[in-house]
Short mmCIF file of all heavy atoms in Angstrom, two decimals:
data_model
loop_
_atom_site.label_atom_id
_atom_site.label_comp_id
_atom_site.label_asym_id
_atom_site.label_seq_id
_atom_site.Cartn_x
_atom_site.Cartn_y
_atom_site.Cartn_z
N PHE A 35 -34.16 7.04 -58.88
CA PHE A 35 -33.37 8.00 -58.26
C PHE A 35 -32.16 8.53 -59.13
O PHE A 35 -31.67 7.73 -59.89
CB PHE A 35 -32.77 7.49 -56.94
CG PHE A 35 -33.88 7.04 -55.91
CD1 PHE A 35 -34.51 5.84 -55.99
CD2 PHE A 35 -34.13 7.80 -54.79
CE1 PHE A 35 -35.47 5.40 -55.16
CE2 PHE A 35 -35.08 7.39 -53.84
CZ PHE A 35 -35.74 6.17 -54.04
N TYR A 37 -28.41 10.26 -58.28
CA TYR A 37 -27.44 10.68 -57.32
C TYR A 37 -26.28 11.35 -57.96
O TYR A 37 -25.84 10.89 -59.06
CB TYR A 37 -26.97 9.57 -56.44
CG TYR A 37 -27.94 9.12 -55.49
CD1 TYR A 37 -28.95 8.12 -55.70
CD2 TYR A 37 -27.96 9.50 -54.08
CE1 TYR A 37 -29.85 7.70 -54.78
CE2 TYR A 37 -28.82 9.13 -53.11
CZ TYR A 37 -29.78 8.21 -53.51
OH TYR A 37 -30.70 7.85 -52.58
N GLN A 39 -22.19 12.14 -57.38
CA GLN A 39 -21.00 11.84 -56.60
C GLN A 39 -19.78 12.63 -56.96
O GLN A 39 -19.07 12.24 -58.00
CB GLN A 39 -20.70 10.25 -56.64
CG GLN A 39 -19.55 9.88 -55.60
CD GLN A 39 -19.25 8.47 -55.70
OE1 GLN A 39 -19.18 7.88 -56.69
NE2 GLN A 39 -19.04 7.84 -54.47
N SER A 41 -15.94 14.36 -56.59
CA SER A 41 -14.59 13.63 -56.23
C SER A 41 -14.42 13.40 -54.74
O SER A 41 -13.64 12.52 -54.41
CB SER A 41 -13.49 14.49 -56.81
OG SER A 41 -13.43 15.72 -56.23
N SER A 42 -15.07 14.07 -53.93
CA SER A 42 -14.96 13.76 -52.45
C SER A 42 -15.62 12.48 -52.04
O SER A 42 -15.26 11.94 -50.98
CB SER A 42 -15.66 14.98 -51.72
OG SER A 42 -17.11 15.04 -52.07
N GLY A 43 -16.50 11.86 -52.94
CA GLY A 43 -16.99 10.60 -52.70
C GLY A 43 -18.39 10.55 -52.01
O GLY A 43 -19.03 9.51 -52.18
N GLU A 44 -18.93 11.65 -51.55
CA GLU A 44 -20.22 11.61 -50.93
C GLU A 44 -21.31 11.40 -51.97
O GLU A 44 -21.13 11.91 -53.13
CB GLU A 44 -20.46 12.84 -50.14
CG GLU A 44 -20.45 14.09 -51.03
CD GLU A 44 -20.50 15.32 -50.19
OE1 GLU A 44 -21.39 15.50 -49.42
OE2 GLU A 44 -19.73 16.23 -50.42
N MET A 45 -22.30 10.69 -51.80
CA MET A 45 -23.45 10.48 -52.61
C MET A 45 -24.47 11.56 -52.24
O MET A 45 -25.01 11.54 -51.14
CB MET A 45 -24.07 9.12 -52.40
CG MET A 45 -23.08 7.97 -52.81
SD MET A 45 -22.65 7.94 -54.53
CE MET A 45 -24.16 7.42 -55.27
N ILE A 46 -24.86 12.40 -53.32
CA ILE A 46 -25.74 13.53 -53.03
C ILE A 46 -27.06 13.15 -53.82
O ILE A 46 -27.03 13.01 -54.99
CB ILE A 46 -25.20 14.77 -53.50
CG1 ILE A 46 -23.91 15.06 -52.78
CG2 ILE A 46 -26.20 15.87 -53.42
CD1 ILE A 46 -23.08 16.21 -53.43
N PHE A 47 -28.20 13.02 -53.12
CA PHE A 47 -29.48 12.71 -53.75
C PHE A 47 -29.93 13.99 -54.52
O PHE A 47 -29.87 15.09 -54.03
CB PHE A 47 -30.46 12.47 -52.66
CG PHE A 47 -31.91 12.54 -53.16
CD1 PHE A 47 -32.40 11.47 -54.01
CD2 PHE A 47 -32.70 13.52 -52.86
CE1 PHE A 47 -33.67 11.47 -54.40
CE2 PHE A 47 -34.05 13.57 -53.29
CZ PHE A 47 -34.50 12.57 -54.07
N TYR A 50 -36.11 12.37 -57.50
CA TYR A 50 -36.79 11.02 -57.41
C TYR A 50 -38.04 11.15 -58.24
O TYR A 50 -38.69 12.20 -58.41
CB TYR A 50 -37.26 10.82 -55.98
CG TYR A 50 -38.26 9.71 -55.76
CD1 TYR A 50 -37.77 8.37 -55.67
CD2 TYR A 50 -39.63 9.86 -55.75
CE1 TYR A 50 -38.68 7.33 -55.56
CE2 TYR A 50 -40.52 8.94 -55.54
CZ TYR A 50 -40.07 7.62 -55.47
OH TYR A 50 -40.98 6.60 -55.33
N MET A 89 -19.57 12.30 -60.95
CA MET A 89 -20.22 11.14 -61.39
C MET A 89 -21.63 11.22 -61.10
O MET A 89 -22.01 11.75 -60.04
CB MET A 89 -19.58 9.96 -60.77
CG MET A 89 -18.24 9.45 -61.28
SD MET A 89 -18.21 8.76 -62.95
CE MET A 89 -19.17 7.27 -62.63
N PHE A 91 -25.19 8.84 -60.96
CA PHE A 91 -25.62 7.43 -60.92
C PHE A 91 -27.33 7.50 -60.90
O PHE A 91 -27.83 8.27 -60.11
CB PHE A 91 -25.19 6.65 -59.64
CG PHE A 91 -23.74 6.47 -59.65
CD1 PHE A 91 -22.84 7.32 -58.87
CD2 PHE A 91 -23.18 5.31 -60.36
CE1 PHE A 91 -21.48 7.05 -58.92
CE2 PHE A 91 -21.83 5.13 -60.36
CZ PHE A 91 -20.99 5.98 -59.62
N ARG A 95 -35.51 1.48 -57.14
CA ARG A 95 -35.96 0.69 -56.04
C ARG A 95 -37.30 0.00 -56.52
O ARG A 95 -38.20 0.71 -56.96
CB ARG A 95 -36.20 1.57 -54.86
CG ARG A 95 -36.64 0.82 -53.58
CD ARG A 95 -37.32 1.74 -52.63
NE ARG A 95 -38.57 2.15 -53.07
CZ ARG A 95 -39.13 3.32 -52.96
NH1 ARG A 95 -38.40 4.29 -52.43
NH2 ARG A 95 -40.22 3.64 -53.43
N SER A 100 -38.59 -5.65 -49.85
CA SER A 100 -39.03 -5.06 -48.51
C SER A 100 -37.81 -4.37 -47.89
O SER A 100 -38.13 -3.45 -46.95
CB SER A 100 -39.49 -6.23 -47.61
OG SER A 100 -38.49 -7.18 -47.44
N ASN A 101 -36.62 -4.62 -48.28
CA ASN A 101 -35.58 -3.81 -47.74
C ASN A 101 -35.27 -2.55 -48.44
O ASN A 101 -34.37 -1.83 -48.02
CB ASN A 101 -34.23 -4.74 -47.63
CG ASN A 101 -34.25 -5.71 -46.49
OD1 ASN A 101 -34.59 -5.30 -45.37
ND2 ASN A 101 -33.83 -6.85 -46.67
N TYR A 102 -35.96 -2.32 -49.56
CA TYR A 102 -35.84 -1.04 -50.26
C TYR A 102 -34.41 -1.00 -50.82
O TYR A 102 -33.86 0.18 -50.76
CB TYR A 102 -36.25 0.18 -49.48
CG TYR A 102 -37.71 0.23 -49.27
CD1 TYR A 102 -38.36 -0.57 -48.24
CD2 TYR A 102 -38.46 1.02 -50.05
CE1 TYR A 102 -39.78 -0.39 -48.15
CE2 TYR A 102 -39.88 1.15 -49.87
CZ TYR A 102 -40.43 0.38 -48.88
OH TYR A 102 -41.85 0.42 -48.73
N GLN A 103 -33.79 -2.02 -51.26
CA GLN A 103 -32.50 -1.91 -51.81
C GLN A 103 -32.48 -1.11 -53.16
O GLN A 103 -33.53 -1.14 -53.84
CB GLN A 103 -31.87 -3.37 -52.17
CG GLN A 103 -31.64 -4.09 -50.83
CD GLN A 103 -31.08 -5.54 -51.22
OE1 GLN A 103 -30.88 -5.85 -52.44
NE2 GLN A 103 -30.72 -6.25 -50.23
N LEU A 104 -31.45 -0.42 -53.37
CA LEU A 104 -31.31 0.35 -54.59
C LEU A 104 -30.47 -0.46 -55.62
O LEU A 104 -29.41 -1.09 -55.20
CB LEU A 104 -30.59 1.63 -54.34
CG LEU A 104 -31.41 2.76 -53.60
CD1 LEU A 104 -30.64 3.96 -53.32
CD2 LEU A 104 -32.70 3.12 -54.41
N TRP A 106 -28.23 -0.08 -58.99
CA TRP A 106 -27.41 1.01 -59.50
C TRP A 106 -27.00 0.87 -60.89
O TRP A 106 -26.70 -0.26 -61.36
CB TRP A 106 -26.17 1.22 -58.64
CG TRP A 106 -26.47 1.62 -57.21
CD1 TRP A 106 -26.74 0.72 -56.14
CD2 TRP A 106 -26.64 2.90 -56.68
NE1 TRP A 106 -26.99 1.44 -55.09
CE2 TRP A 106 -26.89 2.81 -55.30
CE3 TRP A 106 -26.50 4.15 -57.24
CZ2 TRP A 106 -27.11 3.84 -54.51
CZ3 TRP A 106 -26.64 5.27 -56.40
CH2 TRP A 106 -27.02 5.16 -55.11
N GLY A 107 -26.97 1.98 -61.65
CA GLY A 107 -26.40 1.97 -62.92
C GLY A 107 -24.87 2.15 -62.80
O GLY A 107 -24.33 2.38 -61.68
N ALA A 108 -24.12 2.01 -63.89
CA ALA A 108 -22.65 2.11 -63.89
C ALA A 108 -22.22 3.56 -63.71
O ALA A 108 -21.05 3.73 -63.42
CB ALA A 108 -22.14 1.49 -65.22
N GLY A 109 -23.05 4.47 -63.92
CA GLY A 109 -22.58 5.89 -63.78
C GLY A 109 -22.16 6.58 -65.04
O GLY A 109 -21.77 5.87 -66.00
N THR B 32 -32.92 0.08 -41.08
CA THR B 32 -32.03 -0.60 -42.13
C THR B 32 -30.91 0.16 -42.49
O THR B 32 -31.11 1.39 -42.74
CB THR B 32 -32.93 -0.99 -43.29
OG1 THR B 32 -34.03 -1.70 -42.88
CG2 THR B 32 -32.14 -1.82 -44.31
N PHE B 34 -27.35 0.04 -45.12
CA PHE B 34 -26.72 -0.68 -46.27
C PHE B 34 -25.22 -0.42 -46.24
O PHE B 34 -24.86 0.69 -46.03
CB PHE B 34 -27.36 -0.27 -47.54
CG PHE B 34 -28.90 -0.51 -47.57
CD1 PHE B 34 -29.71 0.50 -47.18
CD2 PHE B 34 -29.45 -1.66 -48.05
CE1 PHE B 34 -31.07 0.34 -47.19
CE2 PHE B 34 -30.76 -1.84 -48.14
CZ PHE B 34 -31.65 -0.86 -47.65
N TYR B 36 -21.95 -0.53 -48.84
CA TYR B 36 -21.51 -0.64 -50.15
C TYR B 36 -20.00 -0.60 -50.21
O TYR B 36 -19.37 0.04 -49.31
CB TYR B 36 -22.08 0.57 -51.01
CG TYR B 36 -23.61 0.61 -51.17
CD1 TYR B 36 -24.32 1.27 -50.18
CD2 TYR B 36 -24.17 0.03 -52.26
CE1 TYR B 36 -25.71 1.48 -50.29
CE2 TYR B 36 -25.54 0.12 -52.32
CZ TYR B 36 -26.32 0.87 -51.42
OH TYR B 36 -27.73 1.00 -51.50
N GLN B 38 -17.04 0.41 -53.17
CA GLN B 38 -16.92 1.07 -54.60
C GLN B 38 -15.45 1.11 -55.00
O GLN B 38 -14.67 1.72 -54.29
CB GLN B 38 -17.47 2.45 -54.51
CG GLN B 38 -17.50 3.12 -55.84
CD GLN B 38 -18.09 4.56 -55.79
OE1 GLN B 38 -17.96 5.25 -54.85
NE2 GLN B 38 -18.75 4.95 -56.94
N LYS B 41 -13.76 4.47 -60.21
CA LYS B 41 -14.48 4.66 -61.51
C LYS B 41 -15.57 3.63 -61.68
O LYS B 41 -15.99 3.26 -62.84
CB LYS B 41 -13.47 4.63 -62.57
CG LYS B 41 -12.42 5.77 -62.52
CD LYS B 41 -11.59 5.78 -63.73
CE LYS B 41 -10.54 6.90 -63.59
NZ LYS B 41 -9.59 6.97 -64.81
N GLN B 42 -16.03 2.94 -60.63
CA GLN B 42 -17.02 2.06 -60.68
C GLN B 42 -18.26 2.38 -59.94
O GLN B 42 -18.24 3.35 -59.18
CB GLN B 42 -16.60 0.59 -60.33
CG GLN B 42 -15.51 0.05 -61.30
CD GLN B 42 -15.20 -1.39 -60.96
OE1 GLN B 42 -16.01 -2.15 -60.35
NE2 GLN B 42 -14.11 -1.90 -61.43
N SER B 43 -19.36 1.74 -60.16
CA SER B 43 -20.57 1.94 -59.43
C SER B 43 -20.53 1.42 -58.02
O SER B 43 -19.50 0.69 -57.63
CB SER B 43 -21.73 1.31 -60.15
OG SER B 43 -22.99 1.77 -59.57
N LEU B 44 -21.55 1.69 -57.24
CA LEU B 44 -21.60 1.10 -55.93
C LEU B 44 -22.03 -0.44 -55.99
O LEU B 44 -22.88 -0.77 -56.77
CB LEU B 44 -22.70 1.82 -55.08
CG LEU B 44 -22.30 3.09 -54.45
CD1 LEU B 44 -21.97 4.19 -55.41
CD2 LEU B 44 -23.29 3.62 -53.39
N LEU B 46 -23.45 -3.32 -53.59
CA LEU B 46 -24.01 -3.61 -52.34
C LEU B 46 -23.40 -4.82 -51.66
O LEU B 46 -23.34 -5.89 -52.35
CB LEU B 46 -25.53 -3.89 -52.50
CG LEU B 46 -26.30 -4.19 -51.15
CD1 LEU B 46 -26.29 -2.99 -50.19
CD2 LEU B 46 -27.72 -4.58 -51.50
N THR B 49 -27.10 -5.90 -46.37
CA THR B 49 -28.11 -5.12 -45.76
C THR B 49 -28.26 -5.54 -44.26
O THR B 49 -28.28 -6.67 -43.89
CB THR B 49 -29.51 -5.49 -46.52
OG1 THR B 49 -29.36 -5.23 -47.88
CG2 THR B 49 -30.64 -4.67 -45.84
N ASN B 51 -30.24 -5.02 -40.65
CA ASN B 51 -31.43 -4.52 -40.01
C ASN B 51 -31.24 -4.62 -38.46
O ASN B 51 -30.57 -5.54 -38.00
CB ASN B 51 -32.67 -5.57 -40.28
CG ASN B 51 -33.19 -5.31 -41.72
OD1 ASN B 51 -33.64 -4.26 -42.02
ND2 ASN B 51 -33.09 -6.30 -42.58
N GLU B 59 -24.78 -10.05 -49.65
CA GLU B 59 -24.95 -10.35 -51.05
C GLU B 59 -24.07 -11.45 -51.49
O GLU B 59 -23.03 -11.77 -50.80
CB GLU B 59 -24.58 -9.10 -51.91
CG GLU B 59 -25.63 -7.93 -51.70
CD GLU B 59 -26.99 -8.27 -52.02
OE1 GLU B 59 -27.27 -8.57 -53.19
OE2 GLU B 59 -27.83 -8.22 -51.17
N PHE B 91 -13.29 1.99 -51.35
CA PHE B 91 -14.02 3.07 -50.72
C PHE B 91 -15.36 2.35 -50.17
O PHE B 91 -16.08 1.71 -50.99
CB PHE B 91 -14.40 4.11 -51.79
CG PHE B 91 -14.99 5.33 -51.27
CD1 PHE B 91 -14.36 6.14 -50.27
CD2 PHE B 91 -16.22 5.84 -51.72
CE1 PHE B 91 -14.81 7.28 -49.81
CE2 PHE B 91 -16.84 6.95 -51.24
CZ PHE B 91 -16.09 7.73 -50.24
N ILE B 93 -19.04 2.80 -48.36
CA ILE B 93 -20.07 3.75 -48.08
C ILE B 93 -21.09 2.96 -47.41
O ILE B 93 -21.57 1.94 -47.78
CB ILE B 93 -20.53 4.30 -49.36
CG1 ILE B 93 -19.45 4.95 -50.18
CG2 ILE B 93 -21.52 5.46 -49.10
CD1 ILE B 93 -19.87 5.40 -51.60
N ARG B 97 -31.62 3.80 -43.93
CA ARG B 97 -32.96 3.96 -44.41
C ARG B 97 -33.84 4.62 -43.34
O ARG B 97 -33.90 4.13 -42.27
CB ARG B 97 -33.59 2.62 -44.81
CG ARG B 97 -34.98 2.78 -45.40
CD ARG B 97 -35.62 1.37 -45.61
NE ARG B 97 -37.09 1.55 -45.70
CZ ARG B 97 -37.96 0.74 -45.32
NH1 ARG B 97 -37.68 -0.37 -44.78
NH2 ARG B 97 -39.25 0.95 -45.44
N ILE B 102 -39.80 9.68 -49.37
CA ILE B 102 -39.47 9.01 -50.53
C ILE B 102 -38.01 8.75 -50.67
O ILE B 102 -37.66 7.81 -51.39
CB ILE B 102 -39.96 9.84 -51.79
CG1 ILE B 102 -39.32 11.17 -51.84
CG2 ILE B 102 -41.44 9.95 -51.87
CD1 ILE B 102 -39.42 11.91 -53.18
N ASN B 103 -37.17 9.53 -50.01
CA ASN B 103 -35.79 9.35 -50.12
C ASN B 103 -35.37 8.57 -49.02
O ASN B 103 -34.79 8.97 -48.05
CB ASN B 103 -35.10 10.67 -50.16
CG ASN B 103 -33.59 10.61 -50.26
OD1 ASN B 103 -33.09 9.50 -50.70
ND2 ASN B 103 -32.91 11.70 -49.90
N GLU B 104 -35.60 7.30 -49.07
CA GLU B 104 -35.51 6.42 -47.91
C GLU B 104 -34.03 6.17 -47.54
O GLU B 104 -33.74 5.86 -46.47
CB GLU B 104 -36.10 5.05 -48.05
CG GLU B 104 -37.66 5.06 -48.07
CD GLU B 104 -38.26 5.20 -49.39
OE1 GLU B 104 -37.56 5.46 -50.40
OE2 GLU B 104 -39.44 4.97 -49.52
N GLN B 105 -33.03 6.40 -48.54
CA GLN B 105 -31.65 6.05 -48.12
C GLN B 105 -30.93 7.35 -48.07
O GLN B 105 -30.87 8.13 -49.08
CB GLN B 105 -31.09 5.11 -49.15
CG GLN B 105 -31.49 3.65 -49.02
CD GLN B 105 -30.62 2.73 -49.79
OE1 GLN B 105 -29.43 2.84 -49.84
NE2 GLN B 105 -31.16 1.70 -50.36
N PHE B 107 -26.99 8.79 -47.31
CA PHE B 107 -25.54 8.18 -47.46
C PHE B 107 -24.60 8.83 -46.51
O PHE B 107 -24.69 10.06 -46.31
CB PHE B 107 -25.10 8.24 -48.92
CG PHE B 107 -25.80 7.25 -49.90
CD1 PHE B 107 -27.00 7.48 -50.43
CD2 PHE B 107 -25.12 6.01 -50.04
CE1 PHE B 107 -27.58 6.53 -51.16
CE2 PHE B 107 -25.69 5.13 -50.86
CZ PHE B 107 -26.96 5.33 -51.44
N GLY B 108 -23.77 8.02 -46.03
CA GLY B 108 -22.59 8.64 -45.28
C GLY B 108 -21.48 9.11 -46.29
O GLY B 108 -21.67 8.78 -47.49
N PRO B 109 -20.62 9.77 -45.80
CA PRO B 109 -19.50 10.44 -46.63
C PRO B 109 -18.53 9.38 -47.17
O PRO B 109 -17.70 9.71 -48.08
CB PRO B 109 -18.94 11.46 -45.74
CG PRO B 109 -19.08 10.90 -44.35
CD PRO B 109 -20.44 10.24 -44.41
N ARG B 112 -12.33 5.64 -46.89
CA ARG B 112 -11.44 5.17 -47.86
C ARG B 112 -10.41 4.24 -47.07
O ARG B 112 -9.71 4.78 -46.20
CB ARG B 112 -10.69 6.25 -48.58
CG ARG B 112 -9.89 5.85 -49.77
CD ARG B 112 -9.58 7.00 -50.73
NE ARG B 112 -10.68 7.75 -51.21
CZ ARG B 112 -11.46 7.37 -52.23
NH1 ARG B 112 -11.17 6.28 -52.88
NH2 ARG B 112 -12.49 8.17 -52.57
#
Side-chain angles (χ1 to χ4, degrees):
Chain A
F35 300 78
Y37 285 87
Q39 187 181 38
S41 57
S42 59
E44 60 185 311
M45 297 294 288
I46 302 169
F47 165 74
Y50 167 84
M89 282 290 292
F91 292 98
R95 184 201 71 220
S100 59
N101 277 319
Y102 288 81
Q103 292 181 0
L104 289 175
W106 296 88
Chain B
T32 306
F34 303 88
Y36 296 90
Q38 186 180 31
K41 298 183 181 181
Q42 292 189 23
S43 188
L44 277 70
L46 180 65
T49 302
N51 288 298
E59 294 299 301
F91 191 58
I93 308 175
R97 182 187 162 215
I102 59 170
N103 181 18
E104 288 96 348
Q105 285 195 38
F107 285 82
R112 195 165 301 280

